[in-house]
Amino acid sequence: AQSVAQPEDQVNVAEGNPLTVKCTYSVSGNPYLFWYVQYPNRGLQFLLKYITGDNLVKGSYGFEAEFNKSQTSFHLKKPSALVSDSALYFCAVRISGGYNKLIFGAGTRLAVHP
Amino acid sequence: EAGVVQSPRYKIIEKKQPVAFWCNPISGHNTLYWYLQNLGQGPELLIRYENEEAVDDSQLPKDRFSAERLKGVDSTLKIQPAELGDSAVYLCASSSLAGTYNEQFFGPGTRLTVL
């Protein structure tokens, strides 16, 4: 079955430190991967996507993600975390044959402490 | 550019009552999605429209849920009758050119509480 997993319910990091939010996937065919962020009482906002090409994808707000085909992972990263980055982060994969149908992970809550 | 608009933002109803949610997608977006987001989980697709046509409603509980997208713009999602387990956030999203990999743009959602 096609799926996406976010193994951490919560990630805690100190402001200024690098952060990583993990995502692994299982799809048939080429993976198309996305990261979204959700702030309280707001809808999901698109951060970045991997379709093809360079394994390191740069997105909004200084975030980037690294696609690793052998490990079927698409981890979200940022070199220096901000308190304002605290939010809920969702990884999503477009399932093959699904015509832009996305399957989302359960989400990871990022808490950045001053 | 205005984003996806949803109303109401919050709704509290008694079980067995009907409820409706409204969505206005980004201008020019021909694809519209309704998602259900339970607490602590990621969104799950309920139904997808390409213009006026519902092209994927396999996850929509058709015994109590219905949706429409008249004229291929605004959409309404209805629940009748509502059950306690329907308490969740209902998200609407839109995208352009569904045949590509364009990202979906989400509205703020409607938080439904069924008492």
Side-chain angles (χ1 to χ4, degrees):
Chain A
Q2 302 184 87
S3 63
V4 60
Q6 295 181 241
E8 303 155 315
D9 290 336
Q10 180 155 330
V11 170
N12 296 297
V13 65
E15 187 175 30
N17 283 0
L19 69 87
T20 299
V21 182
K22 297 179 180 178
C23 172
T24 59
Y25 64 90
S26 173
V27 296
S28 53
N30 293 322
Y32 304 116
L33 299 153
F34 301 78
W35 276 102
Y36 284 83
V37 60
Q38 187 174 33
Y39 296 99
N41 298 317
R42 297 180 65 178
L44 280 71
Q45 297 178 38
F46 170 78
L47 278 180
L48 50 80
K49 65 184 176 186
Y50 172 82
I51 303 301
T52 187
D54 194 346
N55 289 342
L56 186 63
V57 179
K58 294 189 181 298
S60 306
Y61 312 120
F63 283 92
E64 57 190 26
E66 186 170 13
F67 171 66
N68 188 315
K69 187 173 183 178
S70 63
Q71 297 186 4
T72 62
S73 67
F74 188 55
H75 299 334
L76 182 70
K77 300 180 180 183
K78 187 173 183 181
S80 179
L82 300 172
V83 172
S84 57
D85 293 329
S86 299
L88 195 55
Y89 291 80
F90 291 96
C91 181
V93 61
R94 190 186 109 151
I95 62 174
S96 58
Y99 206 55
N100 211 14
K101 181 173 182 175
L102 298 179
I103 295 178
F104 287 85
T108 298
R109 187 165 298 282
L110 174 66
V112 182
H113 305 285
Chain B
E1 178 182 83
V4 176
V5 179
Q6 290 187 249
S7 68
R9 291 293 310 278
Y10 305 91
K11 189 73 176 179
I12 301 174
I13 61 171
E14 300 278 339
K15 63 181 180 182
K16 300 185 181 180
Q17 293 300 307
V19 65
F21 314 125
W22 176 80
C23 173
N24 181 245
I26 292 173
S27 178
H29 282 191
N30 61 322
T31 307
L32 184 145
Y33 314 77
W34 282 104
Y35 287 89
L36 167 69
Q37 185 177 20
N38 286 307
L39 188 64
Q41 297 183 25
E44 300 173 30
L45 182 68
L46 289 172
I47 189 169
R48 183 178 86 237
Y49 282 92
E50 295 291 340
N51 300 306
E52 304 87 358
E53 183 182 1
V55 297
D56 184 356
D57 62 356
S58 58
Q59 299 299 106
L60 190 73
K62 298 180 183 64
D63 58 335
R64 296 184 300 107
F65 286 66
S66 64
E68 61 182 11
R69 192 184 183 197
L70 302 177
K71 300 181 181 179
V73 181
D74 296 1
S75 178
T76 302
L77 177 69
K78 298 179 181 178
I79 308 175
Q80 182 170 9
E83 298 178 351
L84 295 176
D86 296 332
S87 295
V89 175
Y90 293 83
L91 295 168
C92 180
S94 68
S95 67
S96 63
L97 301 175
T100 69
Y101 313 116
N102 287 355
E103 62 269 23
Q104 298 176 22
F105 294 84
F106 285 80
T110 296
R111 182 176 297 278
L112 174 66
T113 302
V114 182
L115 302 176

